[in-house]
Amino acid sequence: MQKLIIQGGVPLHGEITISGAKNAALPLLCAALLTEESLKIKNVPVLQDIITMLSLLKQMGTNITASNVSEITLSAAALTHLVAPYEMVKTMRAAILILGPLLARAGEANISLPGGCAIGLRPVDQHIKGLQVMGAEIHIKHGYIHAVAKKLHGARIVLDLITVTGTENLMMAATLAEGTTILENAAREPEVVDLANCLIAMGAKIHGAGTDIITIEGVPSLHGAEHTVMPDRIETGTFLVAATATGGEILLKQTDAHLLDAVLDKLTEAGAHIDSNENWINLKMHTKPKSVNVRTAPYPAFPTDMQAQFMSLNCIASGTAIVTETIFENRLMHVQELIRMNAKIEVEGNAAIVHGIPQLDGAHVMATDLRASASLVIAGLIAQGETVIDRIYHLDRGYENIEGKLSALGAQIRRTQ
């Protein structure tokens, strides 16, 4: 099993290019199932979850060609296998995103209940309830979702809770349904808007993406299109936190500051100086960071995917901070690993009280999920001595060549068996 070895105490300096967003690319790949024509997607990140999704789509009959590592053309003219087996989806929750497109286009789907990071229950009931309202007959047996629908019809769907993948799944299904579908309490994340823009380019009629009410007028068919994946706002935020924590100065290219206003506000509060333009962000940090309280909530509030990274920043900041997780019930598992590095953290329910100390100590730690992995990398960068991080396969699911990019910024980091 691979590990990362980090020699800490080096401020990050330099510039890197941000990759396409994983959480945008995955539903975009699934959108190819909605049409017989080709869908070309550019700026696709090279990640394990992307590789898994492409393998899943290929075994369903999708023809996949790559002009280069980040430009992929998918053609699902002939869907031959409408099953997503457990072996292919056990590590990737996003596999549920094929349910809506398959039902809308082929009228049938058999999908294993998805896996992914062990950060909480993350039930798929909102997906199922919404599709049932649209006329699908769905049963769960032996760990599989069996769904059938001769033709989906438009409906008013009020989501019980805000769910990004649920909004995306139902939005894709509604593009080919008969009549108009209204999604209320919809997710407002930029990734939802990115998917909507791609679907509109394919001929879908969608209004309100980016608000909590999305209206979709069904059309008989969709056609091919070309779309560029939005920049990864979580990768952007992770590198900005790393530079803030190490007291560095970095320039991030091909990204968008408007995608992470809440994160930039918190970094400014911590003492960072940030400048930005249409496609770059520059951060300078020349003082010890100040502690910042963080409370996660759906977009446009502070993202749960940045909570762990700010936990590491607060570990060496001046003062005491409270980090509150409101989205996932198990997303504080990195606390115990940070404590192994001498962090002073107390957990009370869904909140962590972080007392800043002068420095962390390098240690042997274990990643428990994707964003916890990123927090441990940041902790290793600011710790005294050597940090070894086990189970970094989590990192490869969401960060493209993270050790290469950090090395380009001066970090002493290497991957080893």
Side-chain angles (χ1 to χ4, degrees):
M1 189 174 292
Q2 293 184 332
K3 305 175 182 180
L4 281 181
I5 300 177
I6 304 171
Q7 298 291 336
V10 180
L12 299 185
H13 288 278
E15 62 180 53
I16 57 171
T17 299
I18 294 300
S19 301
K22 178 197 82 157
N23 290 338
L26 290 170
L28 288 168
L29 295 175
C30 296
L33 297 172
L34 290 166
T35 178
E36 295 182 359
E37 300 182 18
S38 295
L39 177 63
K40 179 183 285 188
I41 305 178
K42 298 181 178 180
N43 199 34
V44 180
V46 181
L47 303 168
Q48 188 56 50
D49 275 10
I50 298 294
I51 294 170
T52 301
M53 181 63 80
L54 290 173
S55 299
L56 178 58
L57 294 172
K58 186 174 182 179
Q59 68 93 31
M60 289 180 170
T62 304
N63 183 52
I64 299 171
T65 57
S67 304
N68 54 59
V69 293
S70 64
E71 186 172 304
I72 298 172
T73 300
L74 305 97
S75 177
L79 295 174
T80 58
H81 193 60
L82 306 179
V83 178
Y86 171 75
E87 291 74 19
M88 299 194 73
V89 306
K90 63 184 178 180
T91 63
M92 183 182 64
R93 172 176 165 74
I96 191 66
L97 287 166
I98 68 172
L99 178 58
L102 275 185
L103 263 181
R105 166 99 181 280
E108 182 183 352
N110 292 293
I111 301 173
S112 172
L113 289 169
C117 290
I119 58 176
L121 295 175
R122 302 201 287 185
V124 297
D125 61 319
Q126 298 301 301
H127 306 241
I128 293 172
K129 288 178 181 178
L131 291 170
Q132 286 174 329
V133 172
M134 296 172 70
E137 184 178 331
I138 300 178
H139 302 283
I140 300 179
K141 296 180 180 179
H142 308 297
Y144 276 75
I145 301 171
H146 301 269
V148 178
K150 289 184 178 180
K151 185 65 178 178
L152 295 175
H153 57 75
R156 175 175 175 262
I157 302 171
V158 181
L159 296 168
D160 294 338
L161 51 85
I162 298 174
T163 161
V164 175
T165 54
T167 299
E168 292 168 338
N169 225 342
L170 296 173
M171 184 168 66
M172 285 192 283
T175 60
L176 296 179
E178 289 183 347
T180 300
T181 299
I182 300 175
L183 300 179
E184 299 188 22
N185 198 31
R188 300 163 58 187
E189 271 72 2
E191 292 80 8
V192 174
V193 178
D194 203 39
L195 174 61
N197 289 338
C198 178
L199 294 171
I200 291 169
M202 297 168 67
K205 296 181 179 180
I206 302 172
H207 306 279
T211 75
D212 59 355
I213 300 178
I214 302 176
T215 302
I216 308 103
E217 299 175 41
V219 297
S221 63
L222 298 180
H223 53 71
E226 184 176 300
H227 184 80
T228 300
V229 180
M230 62 175 276
D232 195 318
R233 60 192 175 102
I234 304 304
E235 183 193 29
T236 300
T238 299
F239 280 105
L240 291 175
V241 171
T244 302
T246 61
E249 178 178 345
I250 63 172
L251 174 67
L252 303 182
K253 299 182 294 184
Q254 293 186 24
T255 189
D256 185 351
H258 295 101
L259 298 175
L260 61 168
D261 288 336
V263 171
L264 297 184
D265 287 346
K266 286 296 178 181
L267 289 172
T268 300
E269 186 181 332
H273 298 277
I274 300 173
D275 295 309
S276 63
N277 206 326
E278 291 183 359
N279 59 0
W280 58 262
I281 301 174
N282 180 248
L283 181 143
K284 300 177 183 178
M285 189 70 183
H286 299 307
T287 61
K288 184 177 179 63
K290 302 172 186 175
S291 294
V292 289
N293 294 330
V294 166
R295 183 180 182 88
T296 65
Y299 189 87
F302 189 89
T304 180
D305 280 352
M306 286 300 305
Q307 174 258 108
Q309 297 90 314
F310 269 80
M311 183 90 73
S312 294
L313 172 62
N314 279 323
C315 284
I316 50 86
S318 298
T320 296
I322 300 176
V323 178
T324 307
E325 175 59 53
T326 71
I327 307 297
F328 296 123
E329 65 272 16
N330 292 338
R331 209 165 204 179
L332 294 175
M333 292 188 290
H334 45 282
V335 169
Q336 291 305 315
E337 299 305 303
L338 291 172
I339 289 174
R340 287 177 53 79
M341 302 178 72
N342 201 35
K344 305 304 179 186
I345 307 174
E346 305 156 14
V347 175
E348 295 183 2
N350 65 334
I353 303 170
V354 187
H355 305 281
I357 59 175
Q359 67 181 33
L360 295 176
D361 296 334
H364 201 132
V365 293
M366 180 179 68
T368 54
D369 61 72
L370 171 55
R371 305 309 173 185
S373 304
S375 78
L376 295 179
V377 169
I378 293 171
L381 293 172
I382 56 182
Q384 182 181 46
E386 181 178 274
T387 297
V388 180
I389 306 175
D390 275 334
R391 294 177 65 180
I392 60 169
Y393 58 83
H394 289 294
L395 271 174
D396 296 331
R397 290 184 48 235
Y399 291 93
E400 183 177 30
N401 188 26
I402 190 170
E403 72 271 21
K405 292 183 177 182
L406 285 171
S407 294
L409 296 174
Q412 297 181 18
I413 180 173
R414 62 187 174 91
R415 183 182 293 242
T416 185
Q417 293 288 341

